[in-house]
Amino acid sequence: MTIVLPPTATGLTKAAALLREGGLVAFPTETVYGLGGDARSDAAVAAIFAAKGRPRFNPLIVHVSDLDAAERLARFDARARAVAQAFWPGPLTLVLPLRAEAGLSPLVTAGLGSVAIRVPAHAVAQGLLQAFAGPLAAPSANPSGRVSPTQAAHVLDGLAGRIAGVVDGGACMVGVESTILGLLPDSPPRLLRPGGLPLEVLEAVLGTGVATGLDEKAITAPGQLASHYAPVAAVRLGATTAAAHEVLVGFGPVTGTLTLSATGDLAEAAANLFDMLRRADVLAGAGGRIAFAPVPETGLGRAINDRLRRAAAPRA
Ligand code: TXA
Ligand code: MG
């Protein structure tokens, strides 16, 4: 049984109690719903991997309430402090050197010497972090390899019966996962995943370019594996009309059965992306296909296209 909790003080107190018992509770963030568990508990973190069917070599993001809490887990240099001050709370995850005394379960970091940390802006996520008063490991609350959830109903679709609860805070405002920036010593800043914070905005504060290519030597985020975010139907990109047995998802001048944003607004498109991918999947039905209109590769378009390329990639 997975209980659905309201985003009230009572609901958050109950959610925090479940987390303290080692239970898993999904909760809304401004990006997507996270599947939370106590980041200090081996049992809770192992349960997250089991509930998602996620390979254990793929480390999790640790969520904390503020920069002070983050500094107790990782070492921040001047660059890291500058971007944290500019963009936290918000859709940015930093990969930083892990402090030996952080007290996190080694499963969270998959045994790496670095840790991914984020301070979410969503009021319900902040409320839950206050109520729990500790770090929460939280990957996206979907079975591994499937489309990320932006509504409580999406979480239940994939994980009902496998987790203790979900706090229903409505639809996520940003709609794509956080931008992941690697800031490791003696290395230039590296984009490990495009996301809800546009690269251009990040570079303006860093005052330098951010490396975007995959560096095979650097730790690679397994979110970078080709097939991820897969719907059931096959996906075609760059479409301007629907072929036979295709559900067209439009953008800007291309009108589809569903349209990410009729006005070509990238923020609106990001917020609609995963819900429309799920709905198009249902509409396509067995043997059907989904075709997506082109989206520009700027700002949030970078994250949208990254998720669409993964949805379209040959299945692993
Ligand atoms: O918006 C988000 O970031 C959402 C919400 C819930 O906060 N979370 C999320 O988590 O997307 P997840 O687990 O689905 O994605 C975490 C990504 C993975 O691709 C993982 O490989 C990468 O972060 N990651 C975690 N720790 C890392 C590390 N030490 N070095 C490099 N990549 C890391
Ligand atoms: Mg995910």
Side-chain angles (χ1 to χ4, degrees):
M1 262 291 289
T2 299
I3 56 172
V4 178
L5 296 162
T8 57
T10 315
L12 295 178
T13 301
K14 173 71 183 162
L18 291 170
L19 290 164
R20 250 175 247 119
E21 291 161 13
L24 305 184
V25 179
F27 61 95
T29 79
E30 67 277 28
T31 58
V32 302
Y33 273 72
L35 178 57
D38 186 341
R40 301 160 299 194
S41 158
D42 290 338
V45 177
I48 293 176
F49 284 99
K52 280 183 63 86
R54 175 164 169 138
R56 288 213 190 175
F57 58 76
N58 189 354
L60 306 178
I61 297 177
V62 178
H63 296 64
V64 293
S65 55
D66 57 25
L67 178 56
D68 281 350
E71 295 222 29
R72 290 195 285 275
L73 305 179
R75 287 198 305 279
F76 282 66
D77 61 14
R79 303 172 303 181
R81 215 162 273 130
V83 289
Q85 274 159 359
F87 301 117
W88 279 354
L92 173 68
T93 294
L94 297 178
V95 172
L96 301 167
L98 173 67
R99 284 187 191 280
E101 71 279 18
L104 298 176
S105 163
L107 287 171
V108 171
T109 55
L112 297 169
S114 59
V115 60
I117 307 185
R118 162 161 136 73
V119 176
H122 198 293
V124 175
Q126 277 290 339
L128 182 60
L129 286 164
Q130 310 283 324
F132 179 64
L136 286 176
S140 51
N142 52 291
S144 186
R146 309 310 309 184
V147 179
S148 294
T150 54
Q151 299 176 19
H154 298 165
V155 175
L156 292 169
D157 275 352
L159 297 175
R162 313 187 65 162
I163 62 177
V166 53
V167 182
D168 186 351
C172 302
M173 300 77 100
V174 175
V176 289
E177 298 87 342
S178 60
T179 298
I180 305 183
L181 181 70
L183 285 174
L184 295 175
D186 309 315
S187 300
R190 180 168 291 278
L191 185 73
L192 297 175
R193 179 178 71 185
L197 183 70
L199 181 64
E200 295 86 342
V201 179
L202 197 49
E203 286 181 329
V205 164
L206 277 168
T208 71
V210 170
T212 56
L214 246 174
D215 176 351
E216 297 299 336
K217 288 200 302 337
I219 328 105
T220 54
Q224 294 167 335
L225 296 175
S227 183
H228 197 64
Y229 307 100
V232 174
V235 174
R236 179 170 72 93
L237 304 183
T240 49
T241 55
H245 308 296
E246 276 185 349
V247 174
L248 179 65
V249 182
F251 177 82
V254 179
T255 303
T257 305
L258 302 169
T259 299
L260 292 171
S261 168
T263 58
D265 179 340
L266 290 169
E268 182 186 12
N272 281 330
L273 181 66
F274 290 141
D275 184 53
M276 289 193 177
L277 194 49
R278 285 167 187 269
R279 285 161 56 194
D281 208 12
V282 173
L283 290 172
R289 285 160 48 112
I290 308 171
F292 274 89
V295 172
E297 186 73 13
T298 56
L300 283 173
R302 218 184 290 273
I304 294 170
N305 285 322
D306 172 78
R307 306 310 186 262
L308 289 179
R309 280 190 293 269
R310 292 173 200 288
R315 305 297 153 77

